[in-house]
Amino acid sequence: GAGVSQSPSNKVTEKGKDVELRCDPISGHTALYWYRQSLGQGLEFLIYFQGNSAPDKSGLPSDRFSAERTGGSVSTLTIQRTQQEDSAVYLCASSSDRATIYFGEGSWLTVV
Amino acid sequence: AQSVTQLDSHVSVSEGTPVLLRCNYSSSYSPSLFWYVQHPNKGLQLLLKYTSAATLVKGINGFEAEFKKSETSFHLTKPSAHMSDAAEYFCVVSYAGGTSYGKLTFGQGTILTVHP
């Protein structure tokens, strides 16, 4: 596609439920990143994929968070047993040369 | 380790006057530096980037930034503000090294307000 596509754009879920967030990177981009933007926390790095492998997952906040990438393309970020502090905008980004990184518009997650 | 400090959380200017958004960085390696803009309820848009070529970088919408290694700064400027420039601006550093190649570290953001 023309840009990084994320779905859903908005998600409201009950505390304790699992959620999946999807990212379609720009076609041909081998690098894929997940970031989280929370009020008062700024933008936090979560995980980086190069192809299907994740050389850097140092930003995942707990073992409730996991991510995978298949076929070197689509990535899914899964949050299990959601908590209210997980409410944030989850941003996906992709890059072909790691010098220019393009962001999607984000998935707005609200845990009630 | 790398870090970014945006020196002002809020900047307010009048339309038609210059804009200066300040950023200092710290990086153990030769950094790549970026400015991104985020309009309300929108995604992040790349304004400009520095990747060790020319130290004065021109971006979109009339913005430019100058990389000053001696001052570890990468301030964003625009000669004349427009109402549509009102947004939040992020200074970002990335470095090429180890397994975190391309990993971005964001500043805390500067909210730019433009008055008529």
Side-chain angles (χ1 to χ4, degrees):
Chain A
V4 178
S5 178
Q6 293 188 245
S7 60
S9 54
N10 281 283
K11 175 75 176 177
V12 180
T13 189
E14 292 180 352
K15 178 181 173 181
K17 295 285 178 75
D18 297 352
V19 296
E20 282 190 356
L21 308 176
R22 176 188 168 104
C23 173
D24 275 286
I26 293 172
S27 179
H29 281 194
T30 57
L32 186 146
Y33 309 80
W34 283 98
Y35 287 81
R36 178 169 73 172
Q37 187 174 25
S38 311
L39 277 175
Q41 298 293 322
L43 271 140
E44 308 168 79
F45 167 82
L46 297 179
I47 188 169
Y48 156 60
F49 286 93
Q50 179 58 35
N52 291 336
S53 64
D56 189 346
K57 54 181 78 171
S58 61
L60 293 177
S62 75
D63 59 7
R64 295 186 296 105
F65 287 73
S66 63
E68 65 175 14
R69 188 179 187 196
T70 55
S73 182
V74 172
S75 176
T76 303
L77 177 69
T78 301
I79 309 172
Q80 296 178 306
R81 305 181 301 283
T82 51
Q83 303 295 312
Q84 287 185 328
E85 61 264 27
D86 300 333
S87 296
V89 181
Y90 289 83
L91 292 164
C92 179
S94 72
S95 174
S96 60
D97 59 5
R98 289 169 288 189
T100 305
I101 297 175
Y102 298 92
F103 283 82
E105 298 222 341
S107 290
W108 296 67
L109 175 66
T110 304
V111 181
V112 298
Chain B
Q2 56 191 30
S3 66
V4 177
T5 302
Q6 291 183 242
L7 299 170
D8 307 292
S9 58
H10 290 82
V11 169
S12 182
V13 301
S14 297
E15 190 175 21
T17 65
V19 175
L20 170 64
L21 305 183
R22 298 182 294 165
C23 172
N24 285 101
Y25 70 91
S26 170
S27 177
S28 303
Y29 300 85
S30 296
S32 294
L33 292 157
F34 308 81
W35 277 96
Y36 281 86
V37 61
Q38 187 174 36
H39 288 90
N41 300 317
K42 294 290 188 183
L44 288 158
Q45 181 184 19
L46 179 66
L47 273 181
L48 50 80
K49 66 179 180 181
Y50 165 78
T51 55
S52 76
T55 56
L56 181 63
V57 182
K58 295 188 184 297
I60 62 172
N61 301 334
F63 284 94
E64 61 182 40
E66 187 172 8
F67 174 72
K68 292 186 176 180
K69 186 175 182 178
S70 61
E71 299 176 11
T72 60
S73 69
F74 191 57
H75 301 332
L76 181 71
T77 60
K78 182 173 180 177
S80 176
H82 191 274
M83 296 296 291
S84 61
D85 295 329
E88 188 164 16
Y89 292 78
F90 293 93
C91 183
V92 182
V93 65
S94 168
Y95 84 100
T99 59
S100 299
Y101 192 92
K103 174 181 171 181
L104 303 180
T105 299
F106 282 77
Q108 288 299 307
T110 299
I111 295 173
L112 175 64
T113 303
V114 182
H115 298 287

